[in-house]
Amino acid sequence: MNIISSINDRDIGQKSIKFSSANRKYGAYGIIKKDDKIALINVSNRGYYLLPGSIILDNEDYRSSFINTIYKQLGVKIDIKKVIGEIEEERCLTCYKQTSYVFIADVLEYNEKSDYTEDEIFDDIKIEWVNEDRALVLVATAYDNLNIDDAEDLYRIKFEVKRSQEILEVYLRSI
């Protein structure tokens, strides 16, 4: 599978350091399309937007993981149309590397999400369906709106926002 982007500490404004050993994680993220709009997760209490997806659990197939995650996060059933590649992340401060599979999928069945967790309620998470150009603007400007006090959370979320931005940019160049 082709690598569509690589993200490291320098890409989020941090000093990059070499590390010899790293934990390995895998993720599945992507573009979910419905009626010419795509899904974004708005974490409004913290001031940012992300594309849906998550870390893949041990022994879980990456396609199944993505389908299940999208159902949990958005309340929709999807049809994966394409795997567009992988994004590599190297997070020096937390000593791990992540490879994320990137998908494009269409909504097959839409049910508005109603079963939010306590954390999702606290963060005031909302699912927004926006046009593609607007999605990129919302994600790309998230750095200016981050409302996060904890340094470790801020570091993690900067990577998540940057990953979403990279996915959107690759997607928009391909359509």
Side-chain angles (χ1 to χ4, degrees), residues 56-79:
I56 299 170
L57 302 174
D58 291 337
N59 301 321
E60 193 174 21
D61 168 77
Y62 65 96
R63 286 177 176 271
S64 299
S65 173
F66 187 64
I67 291 167
N68 293 335
T69 294
I70 298 309
Y71 187 74
K72 282 188 237 173
Q73 287 181 338
L74 307 180
V76 300
K77 292 184 180 178
I78 59 168
D79 178 30

Side-chain angles (χ1 to χ4, degrees), residues 7-156:
I7 305 169
N8 61 42
D9 286 1
R10 288 183 308 277
D11 297 318
I12 64 161
Q14 297 288 319
K15 183 179 178 182
S16 185
I17 58 173
K18 292 261 184 207
F19 56 96
S20 56
S21 65
N23 291 321
R24 192 65 138 132
K25 293 184 181 182
Y26 296 90
Y29 300 88
I31 306 287
I32 308 301
K33 299 181 352 180
K34 176 180 79 81
D35 302 328
D36 296 327
K37 298 200 179 212
I38 63 172
L40 284 182
I41 298 171
N42 176 359
V43 187
S44 60
N45 265 2
R46 301 178 114 205
Y48 65 92
Y49 289 82
L50 295 174
L51 289 171
S54 73
I55 296 295
I56 299 170
L57 302 174
D58 291 337
N59 301 321
E60 193 174 21
D61 168 77
Y62 65 96
R63 286 177 176 271
S64 299
S65 173
F66 187 64
I67 291 167
N68 293 335
T69 294
I70 298 309
Y71 187 74
K72 282 188 237 173
Q73 287 181 338
L74 307 180
V76 300
K77 292 184 180 178
I78 59 168
D79 178 30
I80 294 174
K81 295 298 183 187
K82 185 176 181 183
V83 180
I84 59 175
E86 298 174 352
I87 289 186
E88 295 286 337
E89 296 174 42
E90 188 172 284
R91 301 182 188 195
C92 296
L93 293 180
T94 50
C95 293
Y96 84 82
K97 295 181 180 184
Q98 180 173 318
T99 300
S100 297
Y101 302 97
V102 180
F103 299 90
I104 297 173
D106 289 336
V107 171
L108 289 176
E109 183 180 314
Y110 177 77
N111 300 304
E112 191 168 324
K113 182 177 170 71
S114 60
D115 59 336
Y116 289 95
T117 66
E118 277 186 39
D119 287 341
E120 290 171 331
I121 292 168
F122 178 79
D123 285 338
D124 196 19
I125 289 180
K126 298 176 179 81
I127 309 306
E128 294 185 21
W129 295 89
V130 299
N131 72 41
E132 294 149 343
D133 293 328
R134 178 83 177 132
L136 183 58
V137 168
L138 290 170
V139 170
T141 58
Y143 283 159
D144 298 331
N145 302 317
L146 291 175
N147 181 24
I148 301 159
D149 295 329
D150 182 75
E152 192 173 316
D153 273 355
L154 182 60
Y155 179 75
R156 176 183 52 80

